[in-house]
Amino acid sequence: MLFFFLLFLAIFNRIIYKSSLNPIFLQSVLWLIYYSLLCLNIKSYDIHLYQVSQFILYQSVGFSLGGFICFLFTRKSSFQNLNPLTEESINISQRNLQILFPVFFFLQVASLLVYVKSTGNVSILAIADVRDTLVEDDGKKFGSYGLIQMIMAVYLLLITLSKTKFTMWHKVLVGMFIYYTMLLGSRGQFVYYFITLFYILVWQKRISAKKILGSFALITGLMYLITILRAAKANGQTLTETLMVYTITSMPALHIAQFPHSKYFGYYSFRVFYVWINKFGFTYPLSPILSEYTMTPLPTNVYSYIKPYYMDFGYAGIFLLPLMLGFIHHFFYFRARRGSFTFMFLTSVLMYPLLMQVFEENYFRQLSNIVYSLILTALVAKMNIHVNRSSNSNLQPTN
């Protein structure tokens, strides 16, 4: 019964929004595929389908309803022809990205040198050992490396969005970024970069479906390689079991797992806000970033994006928070269709947490990174950066 409802929801969203790029439609298709795969493999788990149906139903209805509510406010303009990015924003962003290129090139080189000096590692074969070191103390040691990695990804994605011509030095920068990401064993950053990249290219009609499928196969291979290299636990699993753990095991795990109760309002969901509040002298205890493993019987520590909402607010949380997220997704998409450079980038960036919904929560967890991305995007798209011969620079807002 739930399968047919999810199928109806996907068809309804496609008819209403008339676009396969609309995030509300993509979300409904994602969970239809997820539920279909779960149905086919349910015998591998210690649960029945009906035990996880409410999880899937509540969040699916909430997300689609949030998008539809936003649509009701924007429907007069939602079906207008897709507006291209303005020529002014393209020209400004291209010029600014070229001016900033030496800064980001130096940043990537410097971060690589610091990483190698601090870890003594230049080989991706040592991912497991380095990863264990970086995630000690709840991942705090990874913070600065991860921040630089995210900033570099944003810069490279802005180059793509602005259609800046790729030079040999740009290709060198991309190579260093991929190598750096491999050294950190960061699957999430690979997924973030390539999902955003492909969405931009599809939006701009610069890539074919055939190339997307080929690229997807390559990325899947890279993800599996990183998984094997960084996690000794995965070495005892077959390829099928590993794929199941990182695709459909989240809902069975969420049902089986026993989580500690929330210590206060939004303890798990709004962790990022308490992190920032603590910077002003408060001492709120923070929920752990890394989740404990659960045997389903397959071992996993991924529980989908609704885990913190469910832990904090129960079934109301897995309806209301997706409702809010669906509204935001559609609003950003609506503004992007009107030709906004900034909202086009934000819409593309939010494809990462959307397509990762079946694995983990990346909306609030990545909120700081989203804010940093917004600041860098605004700098590139909204400011005239002038560099004079004395190598002094000033920033002037565009009119």
Side-chain angles (χ1 to χ4, degrees):
M1 188 68 180
L2 181 58
F3 171 82
F4 291 106
F5 175 80
L6 294 174
L7 178 62
F8 165 78
L9 196 62
I11 295 173
F12 175 81
N13 287 333
R14 181 62 178 83
I15 293 173
I16 288 293
Y17 303 118
K18 304 183 187 303
S19 172
S20 298
L21 292 177
N22 187 287
I24 309 303
F25 167 72
L26 291 175
Q27 200 264 2
S28 58
V29 171
L30 172 71
W31 283 95
L32 173 63
I33 294 173
Y34 173 86
Y35 186 72
S36 300
L37 293 174
L38 182 61
C39 289
L40 294 174
N41 294 277
I42 193 62
K43 292 182 179 179
S44 300
Y45 301 101
D46 297 331
I47 65 166
H48 297 286
L49 276 173
Y50 73 86
Q51 293 174 303
V52 298
S53 294
Q54 283 184 296
F55 292 146
I56 299 173
L57 177 64
Y58 281 37
Q59 65 83 24
S60 296
V61 172
F63 197 92
S64 287
L65 182 59
F68 186 71
I69 292 173
C70 183
F71 167 76
L72 293 178
F73 290 101
T74 61
R75 65 183 185 276
K76 292 183 179 179
S77 304
S78 290
F79 295 140
Q80 291 179 354
N81 292 332
L82 179 66
N83 294 329
L85 299 177
T86 64
E87 184 175 347
E88 180 185 16
S89 66
I90 291 292
N91 292 336
I92 291 176
S93 59
Q94 287 181 350
R95 182 176 67 251
N96 290 344
L97 288 167
Q98 291 173 356
I99 293 173
L100 292 172
F101 178 80
V103 176
F104 284 89
F105 193 88
F106 172 80
L107 180 64
Q108 183 66 90
V109 172
S111 61
L112 270 170
L113 293 176
V114 171
Y115 171 86
V116 171
K117 182 179 179 180
S118 61
T119 64
N121 171 57
V122 295
S123 172
I124 63 173
L125 297 178
I127 285 177
D129 294 335
V130 174
R131 190 74 183 181
D132 288 341
T133 300
L134 292 177
V135 300
E136 287 177 0
D137 196 16
D138 206 23
K140 291 181 180 178
K141 294 182 179 180
F142 184 77
S144 56
Y145 293 117
L147 178 60
I148 293 174
Q149 185 185 41
M150 184 278 301
I151 291 174
M152 294 306 306
V154 171
Y155 178 78
L156 293 173
L157 290 166
L158 288 173
I159 289 176
T160 301
L161 178 60
S162 64
K163 299 182 180 180
T164 300
K165 183 179 179 181
F166 254 63
T167 66
M168 180 192 70
W169 288 108
H170 285 104
K171 294 176 182 178
V172 171
L173 184 60
V174 172
M176 286 194 296
F177 168 75
I178 292 176
Y179 174 59
Y180 183 60
T181 304
M182 289 290 288
L183 284 177
L184 295 177
S186 180
R187 293 173 305 202
Q189 275 295 332
F190 263 124
V191 177
Y192 163 82
Y193 176 73
F194 284 111
I195 284 178
T196 308
L197 175 67
F198 290 152
Y199 190 80
I200 291 172
L201 293 176
V202 171
W203 184 290
Q204 296 179 337
K205 299 180 180 179
R206 296 163 61 187
I207 191 171
S208 65
K210 183 178 180 180
K211 290 182 178 179
I212 291 177
L213 291 175
S215 301
F216 178 77
L218 175 62
I219 295 169
T220 301
L222 280 174
M223 295 305 98
Y224 183 67
L225 174 62
I226 293 176
T227 299
I228 295 300
L229 290 174
R230 78 178 232 186
K233 299 180 183 66
N235 293 336
Q237 296 176 347
T238 66
L239 174 59
T240 301
E241 290 174 337
T242 301
L243 291 176
M244 286 177 64
V245 165
Y246 289 100
T247 52
I248 60 174
T249 308
S250 57
M251 287 292 105
L254 182 62
H255 173 74
I256 294 172
Q258 299 294 322
F259 300 112
H261 294 293
S262 296
K263 296 183 178 180
Y264 42 79
F265 179 83
Y267 175 67
Y268 294 100
S269 301
F270 307 138
R271 180 184 190 277
V272 64
F273 295 108
Y274 291 110
V275 169
W276 283 101
I277 289 174
N278 284 352
K279 293 181 183 295
F280 293 95
F282 294 89
T283 56
Y284 285 100
L286 302 176
S287 61
I289 294 178
L290 305 178
S291 300
E292 297 294 330
Y293 276 83
T294 296
M295 301 300 293
T296 66
L298 295 175
T300 183
N301 65 340
V302 293
Y303 302 94
S304 89
Y305 83 124
I306 64 173
K307 171 198 166 186
Y309 316 154
Y310 178 64
M311 294 168 66
D312 282 331
F313 310 112
Y315 285 107
I318 64 176
F319 172 77
L320 293 175
L321 283 168
L323 180 93
M324 179 189 69
L325 294 173
F327 187 98
I328 292 172
H329 263 287
H330 187 273
F331 178 75
F332 285 6
Y333 172 80
F334 161 71
R335 292 297 303 273
R337 286 187 62 88
R338 298 179 64 182
S340 168
F341 186 95
T342 300
F343 281 99
M344 174 66 245
F345 187 72
L346 287 175
T347 297
S348 303
V349 165
L350 285 182
M351 284 299 108
Y352 169 63
L354 188 151
L355 295 181
M356 290 290 285
Q357 284 184 1
V358 298
F359 309 112
E360 59 184 337
E361 204 286 325
N362 280 302
Y363 288 100
F364 294 102
R365 182 178 177 181
Q366 298 289 332
L367 186 58
S368 293
N369 288 343
I370 294 172
V371 172
Y372 297 146
S373 301
L374 176 60
I375 293 172
L376 181 55
T377 304
L379 172 66
V380 167
K382 300 291 186 181
M383 309 291 288
N384 274 328
I385 303 179
H386 300 287
V387 179
N388 57 35
R389 293 183 180 179
S390 64
S391 64
N392 294 321
S393 64
N394 56 58
L395 303 181
Q396 296 180 352
T398 59
N399 295 324

